[in-house]
Amino acid sequence: MDSGHGRKFERYGPWRFIRPEPQAMWDSALDDWDADGEFVPASDEDGGGRWVFARPVPREGWELDWEGIRFNAQCTPFRHLGFFPDMAPVWGWIRQRVHGLEQPQFLNLFGYTGVGSLAMAATGANVVHVDASKKSVAQARENAALSRLADAPIRWLVDDCSKFVAREVRRGRRYDAILLDPPKFGRGPDGETWRLEEDLPGLIANCAQLLDADSRCLFLTVYAVRMSALALRELLSQSLGHLGGTIEAGELAIREESRGLELPTAIWARWSR
């Protein structure tokens, strides 16, 4: 809805929130941000913080919809709301790339609460959804039920993404499309440590082995790191260049309602054929 002074003013269904956004370095357009809740960050640089509510907001969450996909939004302790709306054009782009394939094979790594997996399953894709968080995968299953896709061909896996992809390579598996949305830092279900700058190159190299001459695309998004989209593009060029096709890079952004400014949220790189 609006942004400025290091914050953003958002609407999720009937509820309005204020969250920190360091890249909103400009002045806001609206004089009054009448929000139901605000996430106040901690004073240190290690993250953390808390929600402060001006009015009651359902703690168990509320339902939202994206092109017929129903899912639960919720104020999480990590300042997120259970999904990332800037990923909507990514899901749409992947749908376009696999259009015309009968039951395309789709791998969603770091799949979070599963909205992207459900977006693909709704088109008839066979989906493998992988995330290290048992809670996130449980929420993804609940979102599948909300979307009447509980019986869709989706494998819900609580696993370390790097280890899972390495096993898929050994199994000789292939996919038509792969989506990766890795965090800067994370831990696997058995205490594995994920550090983006150290572990991403190996993961991309293994993902390349899951693609072949008939595969359609790979999309990589990266948030909250000091890294260039050009660096991601060159990483994909090195690992996927032998497949031919096109490699591109850029930024994801959300466009304000107030005046149309584009608020950057992430960098991305993608390969497609």
Side-chain angles (χ1 to χ4, degrees):
M1 296 173 63
D2 194 19
S3 63
H5 306 292
R7 302 186 302 166
K8 55 187 175 182
F9 182 36
E10 307 168 288
R11 181 177 62 245
Y12 290 85
W15 311 104
R16 301 181 179 195
F17 302 101
I18 299 170
R19 292 192 291 163
E21 183 46 73
Q23 298 199 82
M25 296 179 286
W26 42 80
D27 294 334
S28 58
L30 305 177
D31 293 329
D32 180 24
W33 285 6
D34 183 18
D36 298 290
E38 178 175 1
F39 189 89
V40 180
S43 58
D44 57 45
E45 297 182 356
D46 295 329
R50 62 190 180 92
W51 285 97
V52 177
F53 296 100
R55 291 178 287 273
V57 174
R59 299 302 173 91
E60 70 282 1
W62 60 97
E63 287 188 31
L64 292 180
D65 178 280
W66 179 79
E67 295 194 2
I69 303 300
R70 303 292 299 176
F71 55 93
N72 192 64
Q74 188 175 28
C75 296
T76 73
F78 308 103
R79 85 177 58 184
H80 305 309
L81 288 120
F83 74 107
F84 297 102
D86 51 341
M87 289 295 291
V90 177
W91 305 326
W93 182 83
I94 295 175
R95 279 177 157 184
Q96 292 173 357
R97 303 315 302 180
V98 302
H99 180 71
L101 294 180
E102 184 177 352
Q103 291 189 322
Q105 306 298 310
F106 173 64
L107 174 60
N108 191 5
L109 298 172
F110 310 95
Y112 196 39
T113 57
V115 183
S117 295
L118 298 174
M120 294 302 296
T123 67
N126 289 316
V127 178
V128 177
H129 174 105
V130 187
D131 197 283
S133 167
K134 184 181 296 184
K135 184 176 181 180
S136 291
V137 173
Q139 182 62 61
R141 285 178 172 272
E142 292 179 13
N143 287 338
L146 288 176
S147 298
R148 298 183 179 179
L149 290 169
D151 296 326
I154 306 174
R155 294 175 60 199
W156 303 107
L157 302 175
V158 179
D159 205 341
D160 177 82
C161 288
S162 294
K163 287 185 175 180
F164 173 79
V165 169
R167 292 196 303 272
E168 291 289 85
V169 171
R170 293 193 294 270
R171 294 170 182 141
R173 288 290 302 275
R174 66 163 299 278
Y175 290 90
D176 294 298
I178 300 176
L179 173 61
L180 304 94
D181 189 23
K184 179 179 180 180
F185 176 84
R187 293 195 181 278
D190 295 321
E192 303 92 339
T193 300
W194 165 267
R195 292 183 174 86
L196 185 87
E197 292 86 350
E198 299 174 11
D199 299 321
L200 183 60
L203 178 58
I204 293 295
N206 278 339
C207 283
Q209 297 186 63
L210 302 180
L211 302 169
D212 61 20
D214 295 320
S215 299
R216 297 296 181 87
C217 63
L218 177 146
F219 204 110
L220 166 67
T221 61
V222 171
Y223 294 78
V225 295
R226 296 175 181 176
M227 187 182 294
S228 167
L230 297 180
L232 298 184
R233 185 188 70 187
E234 299 306 331
L235 175 62
L236 294 196
S237 295
Q238 183 182 67
S239 295
L240 283 72
H242 67 284
L243 294 170
T246 302
I247 294 176
E248 305 166 284
E251 293 190 44
L252 293 183
I254 294 289
R255 182 176 287 111
E256 293 178 344
E257 288 182 350
S258 59
R259 58 196 152 177
L261 289 183
E262 293 182 344
L263 178 63
T265 59
I267 57 176
W268 59 262
R270 66 190 185 190
W271 166 83
S272 64
R273 188 198 333 269

